[in-house]
Amino acid sequence: MVVLVTGANGQLGQALQFIYGDYPEIQFVFCSSSELDITKLNVCSSVFKKIKPNYCINAAAYTAVDKAEVELKKAFEINVKGVENLANVCKEYNTILIHISTDFVFDGQSSKAYTEKDIPNPKGVYGRTKLDGEQKIQNIWDKHFIIRTSWVYSHFGNNFMKTMIGLGNERESLSVVNDQIGTPTNAVDLSRVLIKIILFPNDKRQKVFGIYNFSNEGFCSWFDFAKEIFRINNIQIDLKPISTSSYPTPAERPKYSVLDKTKIKTIFDIEISEWKDSLHIFNKYKKI
């Protein structure tokens, strides 16, 4: 089985490379953006023609939430046009597409966890382009899994955990918003779930294509997340909670974006770790 991974140098791409040796039955082919620019259809076609993958995990994305508000064209090219290109070549080569999406497709006005059936209503450019990418896939190619996730962190790439550790080692005090609620997602946990989907029995797969939510279990604020990061890394800092209104950003964030994981747990028989437990375990991993 051949699995092509786009965006190999990104956070999820590196997390997949961290664990792929545990799955010798799968031949992974990792392509960085310089090796596979998903915004260019001819490049996508050339790579697929050479590799002929059974699966494509699209870990390539424009994820700079605030910059997207001014870099609309760039966000669109990667998150919409690039995804459209992948969906078309996946259809041409009968490749199952696993696409990573986001909690930002929701407006954050709910008071309960979002299910896959809830109607998206993104508030910013990033969320809109990710939703548009989802819809391109749904309109082009039936054989797909769209995985909506949230607050992804790891020792790879750029993410909240690494930012907090860096700031914690530089500053004596720090303020973090405490009125945005969601769930951190360990990038390695996400990677293992993607592989479990790939290894799902062939005779059952046709019935389970579609959209799924995945994050770790539980929920917290960004302040709670930062507090736990500092605690387990023994970083002493004066951490202060502030409101979103006290820390304005170009892009509006969902105030509540907890994802309901009932569907993915039931269909793929997945046990999901609590976010604190997963953070503690991951903190012990070798840092690459």
Side-chain angles (χ1 to χ4, degrees), residues 261-272:
K261 277 81 66 175
T262 302
K263 181 181 177 182
I264 200 167
K265 288 191 292 186
T266 302
I267 290 179
F268 294 104
D269 190 27
I270 291 169
E271 292 185 10
I272 304 177

Side-chain angles (χ1 to χ4, degrees), residues 1-274:
M1 183 186 298
V2 179
V3 176
L4 171 65
V5 179
T6 68
N9 289 342
Q11 182 176 195
L12 180 58
Q14 291 184 69
L16 283 161
Q17 291 180 70
F18 184 68
I19 64 167
Y20 84 97
D22 295 340
Y23 304 91
E25 66 271 42
I26 300 175
Q27 178 186 344
F28 285 90
V29 179
F30 294 94
C31 289
S32 66
S33 59
S34 62
E35 296 165 320
L36 173 51
D37 183 346
I38 66 171
T39 67
K40 297 177 180 177
L41 181 58
N42 63 325
V43 174
C44 294
S45 297
S46 177
V47 171
F48 271 68
K49 183 178 181 180
K50 179 180 178 180
I51 297 173
K52 295 181 174 61
N54 303 101
Y55 280 84
C56 173
I57 297 176
N58 182 31
Y62 182 100
T63 59
V65 176
D66 288 324
K67 283 185 178 181
E69 295 299 309
V70 292
E71 295 183 346
L72 287 76
K73 183 177 179 182
K74 186 175 181 180
F76 177 87
E77 281 295 309
I78 298 171
N79 291 345
V80 184
K81 186 60 180 178
V83 173
E84 180 182 20
N85 290 339
L86 284 178
N88 278 312
V89 292
C90 281
K91 182 176 182 179
E92 180 181 355
Y93 287 91
N94 195 31
T95 299
I96 296 172
L97 177 59
I98 300 179
H99 175 69
I100 310 304
S101 193
T102 174
D103 57 329
F104 273 70
V105 299
F106 297 113
D107 59 19
Q109 299 304 307
S110 177
S111 58
K112 60 185 181 67
Y114 285 99
T115 73
E116 292 82 355
K117 293 182 179 180
D118 285 318
I119 298 173
N121 183 33
K123 305 298 285 186
V125 171
Y126 169 67
R128 289 201 300 272
T129 60
K130 292 298 287 184
L131 179 60
D132 288 349
E134 288 185 10
Q135 293 171 343
K136 289 291 185 183
I137 294 170
Q138 292 171 308
N139 291 334
I140 293 169
W141 183 222
D142 292 339
K143 295 182 180 181
H144 67 259
F145 294 98
I146 294 170
I147 312 298
R148 290 173 176 161
T149 190
S150 63
W151 298 22
V152 181
Y153 71 89
S154 67
H155 292 304
F156 318 107
N158 299 314
N159 58 76
F160 183 80
M161 183 187 75
K162 288 180 69 176
T163 298
M164 289 299 103
I165 292 174
L167 292 174
N169 288 323
E170 295 171 358
R171 301 184 183 181
E172 294 182 354
S173 65
L174 186 67
S175 297
V176 179
V177 295
N178 70 336
D179 57 354
Q180 295 173 22
I181 307 300
T183 308
T185 303
N186 183 319
V188 171
D189 288 350
L190 174 58
S191 297
R192 292 197 186 280
V193 166
L194 300 182
I195 294 172
K196 184 150 190 174
I197 291 172
I198 289 169
L199 297 176
F200 195 68
N202 289 333
D203 59 336
K204 299 179 181 179
R205 185 177 297 117
Q206 192 71 34
K207 299 178 181 179
V208 297
F209 289 128
I211 297 176
Y212 291 85
N213 294 335
F214 179 81
S215 68
N216 285 109
E217 293 283 22
F219 57 87
C220 63
S221 68
W222 289 110
F223 172 83
D224 298 325
F225 190 17
K227 184 177 180 180
E228 193 65 13
I229 290 168
F230 293 139
R231 190 182 75 80
I232 67 173
N233 284 281
N234 298 311
I235 295 174
Q236 304 300 315
I237 188 170
D238 179 17
L239 184 64
K240 302 174 182 177
I242 58 170
S243 65
T244 298
S245 60
S246 299
Y247 186 71
T249 56
E252 183 178 347
R253 265 72 173 170
K255 293 186 72 67
Y256 185 91
S257 61
V258 179
L259 300 173
D260 184 300
K261 277 81 66 175
T262 302
K263 181 181 177 182
I264 200 167
K265 288 191 292 186
T266 302
I267 290 179
F268 294 104
D269 190 27
I270 291 169
E271 292 185 10
I272 304 177
S273 300
E274 289 287 326

